[in-house]
Amino acid sequence: MQIISCFCNSVSGIIYRVSMLILNKTAGVFFKPSKRKVYEFLRSFNFHPGTLFLHKIVLGIETSCDDTAAAVVDETGNVLGEAIHSQTEVHLKTGGIVPAVAQQLHRDNIQRIVQEALSASRISPSDLSAIATTIKPGLALSLGVGLSFSLQLVGQLKKPFIPIHHMEAHALTIRLTNKVEFPFLVLLISGGHCLLALVQGVSDFLLLGKSLDIAPGDMLDKVARRLSLIKHPECSTMSGGKAIEHLAKQGNRFHFDIKPPLHRAKNCDFSFTGLQQVTNKRIMKKEKEEGIEEGQILSSAADIAATVQHTMACHIVKRTHRAILFCKQRDLLPQNNAILVASGGVASNFYVRRALEILTDATQCTLLCPPPRLCTDNGIMIAWNGIERLRAGLGILHDIEDIRYEPKCPLGVDISKEVGEAAIKVPQLKIEI
Ligand code: KG4
Ligand code: ZN
């Protein structure tokens, strides 16, 4: 109703002002207005190209790891402007992220990226409702650049500030692309994180399990490095995970047999270090057999990629299966049509998505994943998290005196011990892709 009356008011306002222009024209005082004037005129009706009215608008800034990203998003989920600078190629050359290098690259690019996102949005910074920035968790040096830039901007523009938890933003992205109500289960798998959580509200999470060591993306990056995939003509500019996915398509996953990790622990925790070590041993053995040195490409690289990808997917599916059963057993999720959301860089992997789909089909759930470019780090998810918090009235700060970044920060209330104590046995599920 509010929208309809707002629409009517604005339309009658437009008719009135257009009539005034025509009257002025007939009175001989009409002149061709500049583009800027036209835009200001349209904005006076809350008009924006692609939307009809200005809603709440948030600028989101992300620098928690190796992407400098910014976006302007409105309340209805319209992405008004977006820009990103990825450091992947630089870090590929150094064989991993060097924090001081990441920091310098963020410093070199943040001003330009934020400016590009704002210019693309064609709104004036004064029209922003708030500025939202990732302040936790992440690399300290990287977080610091985004935070100090944002605080300066907040001070200049006199706008509210919304500190963002990077993983909360990954979890809520799906509500920008799909109509998803709370509660839902979320699986966040990326280069720095791996967790399963029940999302009950914008900032209301129950943590069911997490990685006990490294994240799956980190494991894939390490395996890709050990296989020297940067020297592979088809993969030289791809992140480790993407390179593994690409090569795996040409490989045979039955070539090796690696047992999925933690198969005896009846909880929802993950582990990937063992998988990485076993894979390293295989690679060393193969190098000997093929008579090649470390740093050269193995002829069986695609088979190794296929095996590691499959084993990782099976492990992820099994832990997620237990999380679904636990939530249903405790009535935390509906028995039918519960939603499983998968996000984070590794969730852009189509083999993993297909494996999760086999799971959701078997458990009467629905799998939803943001499009791949919104699974990896981006500014849109941060701006959207800002909108979600603005709408819920949560964590909107007008005083920015004591804000600090937090490199480590858990997500939600940790009930993983309770999940382990329930010791739910997971039925066998064939992952045949
Ligand atoms: O979410 P993200 O951009 O950054 C973190 O928050 O970590 O995830 C980056 C991670 C990297 O480890 C990268 O290798 C992995 O996601 N990744 C993939 C794929 N694309 C990126 N892993 C598997 N398959 C992919 N297609
Ligand atoms: Zn991320």
Side-chain angles (χ1 to χ4, degrees):
M1 279 307 280
Q2 217 181 346
I3 292 171
I4 293 170
S5 87
C6 174
F7 179 85
C8 293
N9 287 343
S10 293
V11 168
S12 59
I14 289 174
I15 292 169
Y16 170 77
R17 301 242 190 140
V18 170
S19 320
M20 288 309 288
L21 272 180
I22 293 168
L23 280 177
N24 284 344
K25 188 181 179 187
T26 45
V29 291
F30 187 69
F31 58 95
K32 191 169 178 274
S34 69
K35 260 192 188 162
R36 201 172 130 257
K37 283 255 175 318
V38 169
Y39 192 62
E40 274 170 11
F41 169 70
L42 289 171
R43 267 203 301 129
S44 68
F45 302 105
N46 281 351
F47 176 82
H48 187 278
T51 66
L52 192 52
F53 309 107
L54 274 186
H55 304 268
K56 288 189 174 76
I57 299 177
V58 171
L59 166 67
I61 299 177
E62 157 67 32
T63 64
S64 69
C65 190
D66 59 347
D67 292 298
T68 316
V72 180
V73 174
D74 81 7
E75 203 174 355
T76 62
N78 272 309
V79 178
L80 307 180
E82 180 199 1
I84 187 161
H85 173 264
S86 166
Q87 305 175 359
T88 304
E89 282 194 40
V90 176
H91 299 310
L92 275 175
K93 285 189 192 120
T94 50
I97 299 173
V98 179
V101 174
Q103 178 189 42
Q104 191 54 47
L105 288 170
H106 283 306
R107 280 187 182 143
D108 295 345
N109 290 288
I110 191 158
Q111 168 100 36
R112 174 179 64 84
I113 289 297
V114 170
Q115 192 51 56
E116 272 178 31
L118 277 169
S119 306
S121 76
R122 292 198 279 160
I123 65 145
S124 149
S126 62
D127 289 332
L128 290 171
S129 314
I131 294 169
T133 302
T134 308
I135 67 151
K136 59 190 174 184
L139 296 174
L141 295 180
S142 296
L143 288 167
V145 178
L147 180 59
S148 59
F149 181 88
S150 303
L151 293 185
Q152 234 179 329
L153 201 59
V154 162
Q156 275 167 18
L157 298 174
K158 310 241 172 321
K159 297 288 175 186
F161 181 60
I162 308 178
I164 299 294
H165 190 298
H166 183 81
M167 303 314 284
E168 180 180 302
H170 270 307
L172 297 178
T173 306
I174 199 71
R175 283 165 50 87
L176 176 143
T177 55
N178 299 62
K179 202 173 164 345
V180 179
E181 302 294 339
F182 301 117
F184 58 88
L185 184 64
V186 75
L187 166 72
L188 297 178
I189 39 179
S190 69
H193 307 277
C194 178
L195 61 86
L196 271 162
L198 184 74
V199 191
Q200 305 187 114
V202 171
S203 86
D204 181 2
F205 290 71
L206 293 181
L207 184 68
L208 305 166
K210 60 180 184 318
S211 176
L212 303 174
D213 39 61
I214 59 174
D218 192 11
M219 183 273 293
L220 293 176
D221 291 341
K222 287 183 164 119
V223 170
R225 259 199 315 273
R226 184 62 185 80
L227 285 169
S228 305
L229 296 188
I230 191 170
K231 292 187 190 156
H232 195 290
E234 291 166 26
C235 313
S236 61
T237 59
M238 293 179 186
S239 67
K242 204 166 169 46
I244 296 279
E245 178 176 28
H246 179 78
L247 265 198
K249 287 184 197 138
Q250 308 158 22
N252 174 8
R253 72 169 168 88
F254 297 106
H255 208 82
F256 305 103
D257 186 27
I258 304 179
K259 261 208 181 114
L262 296 179
H263 63 283
R264 254 175 237 200
K266 291 196 183 63
N267 54 32
C268 290
D269 288 333
F270 301 81
S271 168
F272 296 96
T273 299
L275 182 50
Q276 185 217 328
Q277 285 164 353
V278 173
T279 309
N280 269 0
K281 280 191 190 145
R282 297 276 164 167
I283 295 171
M284 274 174 352
K285 191 162 167 254
K286 276 281 155 193
E287 281 170 347
K288 269 197 193 133
E289 280 171 24
E290 293 186 19
I292 63 166
E293 302 264 300
E294 181 174 343
Q296 291 174 280
I297 308 265
L298 279 172
S299 69
S300 51
D303 297 333
I304 294 171
T307 308
V308 80
Q309 177 177 260
H310 176 75
T311 314
M312 174 191 76
C314 290
H315 179 47
I316 290 171
V317 164
K318 186 142 190 192
R319 316 322 274 184
T320 310
H321 197 165
R322 183 169 288 115
I324 291 174
L325 297 180
F326 176 84
C327 290
K328 286 192 181 185
Q329 195 187 72
R330 303 285 160 108
D331 276 331
L332 294 166
L333 279 176
Q335 297 304 317
N336 287 310
N337 296 324
I339 302 285
L340 167 66
V341 172
S343 194
V346 180
S348 61
N349 180 297
F350 284 96
Y351 193 91
V352 171
R353 287 185 180 202
R354 184 66 203 109
L356 287 168
E357 228 162 43
I358 293 172
L359 168 64
T360 49
D361 286 350
T363 50
Q364 291 79 49
C365 295
T366 303
L367 174 69
L368 295 176
C369 306
R373 75 182 186 96
L374 293 183
C375 278
T376 47
D377 291 351
N378 62 85
I380 296 171
M381 70 183 199
I382 308 304
W384 176 249
N385 199 160
I387 292 280
E388 289 264 33
R389 281 186 162 263
L390 213 50
R391 288 199 303 208
L394 288 166
I396 305 147
L397 306 182
H398 296 274
D399 176 6
I400 49 170
E401 279 280 289
D402 296 322
I403 304 201
R404 302 276 178 273
Y405 58 80
E406 295 171 55
K408 284 201 163 57
C409 183
L411 181 74
V413 177
D414 189 347
I415 60 159
S416 56
K417 202 160 165 265
E418 203 181 312
V419 176
E421 281 162 5
I424 294 172
K425 202 166 178 313
V426 172
Q428 277 286 339
L429 198 61
K430 273 218 157 93
I431 307 295
E432 275 168 6
I433 298 171

